[in-house]
Amino acid sequence: MHSEHVHKSEEFFKRKLEEFDNQTKSLKKLVSVSSNALLASYKVSYRIAKCKKPHNIGETLVLPAAIDMVEAMFGESYAKQLQQIPLADNTVARRIDDISEDLCDQLVSRLQNNIEWINCVGLCTDGAQSMSGNKSGLQALVKNRAPEIIWTHCMLHRSALVSKNMSPELNDIFAQITKVINYIKHSPLRAKLFAKLCEDMDSKYTSLLYYYLAANLQLEIIDLKYDSDMKNKFTMVGLDTFYKYLLPKYPNLTALAAKILSMFANMDSPYFKRMNKKMGVHRSKYDFEEGNDV
């Protein structure tokens, strides 16, 4: 094939072999660096997506900062290798799309291969057609695998739908309830102080659940929404005594309102005054980070 080299010496061929080996090593090194740079690009893109940051932050902030840190810690030669990492905004966008598609493929594969549909007896979703549709929605797709499955409309989503059309006054009441409960539950110190308050009041319960309405309460709220007589009554008597008129039609709402109003009706009561005196003692007792904001 190379007749021109027929009369070349042995040293010539040894030198050519050495040159070929060196080229191969250089090529492998180049490919290896590119693979590492590609992996780094995907990892950075994943973090950008996870933090919901703009795609161009990779090349405008992340990469320059990484180069500065590596150069300061290990030297310029190592820092130059980071310049091979592709982090342009459109590149980051493609990486995120690739990651999303891969996650979707993994999820579909696990759903197809790892779910024992015979054990699936119920499906609870929101009321969107894509989820609840009995012909092309998720409900229909699941029933193709598990025909005996029972679909239910999620009560939390139903509650959210009801609250959108709720009267401003009633909606404000539940907003305040949510705010108070979540405020107490957010801090371990506030939760312990609240429990102590309940104990001093001889309350049956000493802790709160994160805001959630039981099914019977949600159904009563739905009925109350369309009760014109009760709406007129609320306009006439106001918030302070309205709950007294909920009986006998709305017993669960009456009980809930009575508990909340009786607990927070009088902020100048002896119970709250005693708790204010104990605040200083309990602050030193409970070692919590958020203690100073109560």
Side-chain angles (χ1 to χ4, degrees):
M1 295 178 62
H2 300 281
S3 57
E4 69 274 14
H5 298 317
V6 171
H7 301 291
K8 298 291 183 180
S9 65
E10 182 179 352
E11 293 296 326
F12 172 82
F13 291 104
K14 289 182 177 180
R15 187 170 63 253
K16 287 295 183 181
L17 178 60
E18 184 178 356
E19 291 176 357
F20 176 77
D21 290 339
N22 290 336
Q23 290 178 355
T24 303
K25 292 179 180 179
S26 298
L27 180 60
K28 289 182 178 179
K29 182 178 179 180
L30 179 61
V31 172
S32 176
V33 171
S34 298
S35 298
N36 292 335
L38 183 64
L39 177 60
S41 177
Y42 272 100
K43 287 189 173 183
V44 173
S45 299
Y46 172 75
R47 290 187 176 274
I48 292 174
K50 190 175 181 179
C51 296
K52 300 179 181 179
K53 298 298 182 181
H55 295 167
N56 63 352
I57 197 174
E59 62 179 347
T60 60
L61 177 61
V62 176
L63 184 58
I67 291 174
D68 291 340
M69 288 186 288
V70 172
E71 184 175 0
M73 295 292 294
F74 305 106
E76 184 178 356
S77 60
Y78 289 97
K80 286 184 178 180
Q81 296 182 31
L82 298 185
Q83 297 177 357
Q84 302 177 29
I85 302 174
L87 287 176
D89 56 349
N90 57 341
T91 302
V92 171
R94 291 198 304 271
R95 301 283 187 263
I96 294 174
D97 288 341
D98 292 343
I99 294 172
S100 301
E101 291 179 6
D102 181 68
L103 289 175
C104 182
D105 292 341
Q106 292 184 51
L107 177 61
V108 171
S109 176
R110 293 186 181 186
L111 289 175
Q112 290 176 342
N113 301 322
N114 297 335
I115 288 185
E116 296 183 8
W117 291 101
I118 192 173
N119 296 328
C120 189
V121 297
L123 175 66
C124 181
T125 71
D126 59 29
Q129 188 65 26
S130 60
M131 303 297 290
S132 62
N134 54 16
K135 292 184 178 179
S136 58
L138 177 63
Q139 178 187 180
L141 296 176
V142 173
K143 284 188 174 181
N144 288 338
R145 295 295 190 95
E148 302 300 324
I149 199 172
I150 299 176
W151 175 83
T152 55
H153 190 176
C154 174
M155 293 299 295
L156 292 178
H157 285 90
R158 292 172 62 182
S159 177
L161 292 173
V162 170
S163 65
K164 290 182 179 180
N165 297 319
M166 190 181 296
S167 66
E169 295 84 0
L170 189 57
N171 192 49
D172 182 64
I173 294 173
F174 285 107
Q176 292 299 321
I177 294 173
T178 304
K179 185 176 180 180
V180 170
I181 294 178
N182 289 343
Y183 176 78
I184 295 173
K185 292 291 292 182
H186 181 70
S187 166
L189 175 60
R190 289 193 286 265
K192 285 185 176 290
L193 292 174
F194 179 81
K196 183 60 179 175
L197 170 64
C198 294
E199 290 175 2
D200 289 349
M201 296 173 63
D202 296 324
S203 175
K204 182 179 179 180
Y205 304 101
T206 59
S207 63
L208 294 170
L209 298 176
Y210 277 108
Y211 176 66
Y212 171 73
L213 287 179
N216 53 3
L217 286 174
Q218 296 184 40
L219 294 175
E220 288 189 5
I221 291 174
I222 295 173
D223 293 336
L224 182 60
K225 171 189 172 185
Y226 298 101
D227 193 329
S228 58
D229 293 337
M230 295 305 296
K231 288 182 179 179
N232 293 334
K233 179 64 70 174
F234 182 85
T235 303
M236 293 173 57
V237 302
L239 172 61
D240 294 341
T241 58
F242 173 68
Y243 77 96
K244 297 179 181 179
Y245 298 92
L246 293 174
L247 287 174
K249 295 175 65 176
Y250 307 101
N252 296 294
L253 282 176
T254 303
L256 176 63
K259 286 183 180 179
I260 295 173
L261 292 176
S262 63
M263 186 176 294
F264 296 100
N266 185 7
M267 297 300 289
D268 293 325
S269 67
Y271 298 109
F272 280 92
K273 290 181 180 179
R274 280 156 52 192
M275 284 306 298
N276 286 332
K277 292 181 180 179
K278 294 180 180 179
M279 288 279 281
V281 177
H282 289 296
R283 283 182 191 279
S284 60
K285 182 178 179 181
Y286 302 127
D287 184 22
F288 292 107
E289 182 179 356
E290 296 177 335
N292 293 328
D293 63 4
V294 177

